[in-house]
Amino acid sequence: MKCRVCGEKAFIKLHYPKMYLCADHFVEYFERKVKRTIERYKLLKPNEKVLVVVSGGKDSAVTAYVLKKLGYNVECLHINLGIGEYSEKSESYAKKQCELIGAPLHIVRVKELLGWGIGEVKTRRPTCSYCGLTKRYIFNKFAHDNGFDVIATGHNLDDEASFIFSNLMNWNTEYLAKQGPLLPGEGKFVRKVKPLYELTEREVVAYALAVGIEYIIDECPHARGATTIEYKQVLNELEEKRPGTKINFVKGYLRKRHLFEVELKKVELKECKVCGMPAQGEKCSFCRFWRLEKPIDLKI
Ligand code: Q46
Ligand code: ZN
Ligand code: ZN
């Protein structure tokens, strides 16, 4: 099959809109789509300092690569979770990716910072739950303390569609009230944006291949994944039968999101007495979980 634009040999067949493209025209198409997403949802302004949290995986690497190519002021943060060989591999991919992109990379190592790696703490709390809490706290505090305007994450269309789907199946209406491509910042919470919001996982993989980004394929040994993967599979089957299902589902959700706003509970946030970051009680959940007496220092 031939590229619809130039007639050269096709690199990919897109399903929605249906067309064949060569590698060069696919790269152009992908970057145009990211640019359009940024404009449509007003995600970024030209001179902002953008922090991309690179995990070593494809989505965050592609996010950093495209933003840099579009001319944004990008720096990267890698959080080494201290999960044995998996984390060492992830860190070395993150380094390679940032070299390719030409963006500064900052590394925070959980084990050095907090004494234990993820998965090593004796707690009843599920590993992924305190891992998520730890990552979110670190990248937000890092961005806040070092003057970043915005944090860009690598969530793609498949992630978002399956997330909305699973939250609908469980009627987590409070979550459904506040998801989307732009999560506004407030106080010490830095704004978060998702530039790959309208691109499918398949397109992200193809883009990484086309521009030569290497990334970690191994799954984290703690990944439970099963339920998210099941939702993704169902959506993929629907997409196969009716191309456009995912994007229409997500766009429909954004139009109706306001209906869930009544479910939002207004919580008064205080300042954590240890670190000064927003907290529901005396201490924030991060300082409470890690039993900190003094704040961690993330200043560059
Ligand atoms: S949360 Fe869980 Fe992930 Fe953390 S412990 Fe691994 S699987 S890395 S996205
Ligand atoms: Zn072409
Ligand atoms: Zn705290």
Side-chain angles (χ1 to χ4, degrees):
M1 281 296 171
K2 294 202 162 75
C3 169
R4 179 171 120 164
V5 186
C6 68
E8 289 292 311
K9 191 171 175 280
F11 163 76
I12 187 169
K13 177 190 178 188
L14 298 178
H15 302 296
Y16 190 81
K18 198 172 164 191
M19 59 177 161
Y20 291 90
L21 291 174
C22 70
D24 287 352
H25 285 113
F26 169 68
V27 166
E28 228 176 66
Y29 158 89
F30 187 98
E31 290 164 3
R32 210 172 40 235
K33 233 172 139 179
V34 175
K35 197 164 170 252
R36 219 178 47 202
T37 306
I38 294 172
E39 288 164 1
R40 177 175 293 153
Y41 301 109
K42 299 187 172 60
L43 302 186
L44 300 167
K45 291 188 212 111
N47 290 316
E48 287 185 311
K49 230 180 131 188
V50 187
L51 183 69
V52 183
V53 187
V54 289
S55 62
K58 62 180 186 326
D59 301 294
S60 49
V62 166
T63 304
Y65 187 100
V66 179
L67 291 185
K68 182 86 182 165
K69 199 158 166 197
L70 292 177
Y72 289 98
N73 177 6
V74 172
E75 292 190 24
C76 298
L77 169 68
H78 176 71
I79 305 175
N80 182 315
L81 299 168
I83 307 177
E85 204 192 315
Y86 169 74
S87 287
E88 293 319 305
K89 248 187 173 177
S90 304
E91 185 180 315
S92 76
Y93 274 108
K95 282 180 183 155
K96 261 195 222 163
Q97 293 162 352
C98 292
E99 267 165 34
L100 175 75
I101 295 163
L105 171 66
H106 310 281
I107 299 178
V108 172
R109 296 190 179 89
V110 170
K111 203 164 177 167
E112 285 172 16
L113 191 72
L114 298 157
W116 304 92
I118 299 295
E120 295 177 346
V121 184
K122 283 204 181 76
T123 169
R124 283 214 212 120
R125 199 167 170 157
T127 308
C128 288
S129 147
Y130 78 83
C131 176
L133 158 84
T134 304
K135 285 192 284 195
R136 281 193 302 275
Y137 178 90
I138 291 177
F139 67 64
N140 184 67
K141 186 166 178 10
F142 186 93
H144 174 264
D145 289 0
N146 294 300
F148 286 90
D149 298 298
V150 52
I151 299 166
T153 60
H155 298 89
N156 60 45
L157 180 62
D158 294 49
D159 297 327
E160 294 301 304
S162 62
F163 183 76
I164 298 165
F165 188 22
S166 75
N167 278 294
L168 269 175
M169 293 300 279
N170 295 299
W171 291 110
N172 287 334
T173 44
E174 212 186 327
Y175 270 108
L176 289 165
K178 49 185 187 189
Q179 290 310 307
L182 170 83
L183 311 177
E186 203 189 334
K188 290 179 178 172
F189 286 125
V190 178
R191 168 165 46 106
K192 293 191 194 67
V193 298
K194 303 171 184 170
L196 306 185
Y197 197 79
E198 295 196 356
L199 288 137
T200 63
E201 193 157 307
R202 185 169 166 268
E203 289 170 328
V204 175
V205 172
Y207 184 85
L209 182 70
V211 300
I213 296 175
E214 291 179 51
Y215 57 88
I216 186 159
I217 295 171
D218 316 17
E219 271 230 48
C220 168
H222 299 291
R224 316 144 293 171
T227 48
T228 341
I229 290 171
E230 274 166 21
Y231 286 122
K232 280 192 177 174
Q233 273 167 355
V234 172
L235 286 165
N236 280 339
E237 280 165 27
L238 289 172
E239 181 80 33
E240 188 80 11
K241 286 187 197 137
R242 301 174 64 126
T245 297
K246 289 181 212 169
I247 189 73
N248 290 327
F249 175 55
V250 166
K251 283 192 171 167
Y253 158 73
L254 291 177
R255 281 195 297 274
K256 299 291 177 191
R257 181 178 52 186
H258 64 278
L259 298 175
F260 296 105
E261 274 169 14
V262 284
E263 297 279 322
L264 275 178
K265 292 187 194 91
K266 190 91 190 116
V267 276
E268 278 299 319
L269 289 179
K270 299 178 204 149
E271 278 198 355
C272 169
K273 70 172 190 186
V274 177
C275 70
M277 297 302 279
Q280 285 190 21
E282 282 227 305
K283 287 186 184 180
C284 71
S285 40
F286 177 83
C287 290
R288 225 180 316 131
F289 179 81
W290 290 98
R291 300 196 180 142
L292 299 183
E293 299 296 333
K294 56 180 192 349
I296 54 169
D297 182 9
L298 295 174
K299 281 248 167 69
I300 302 174

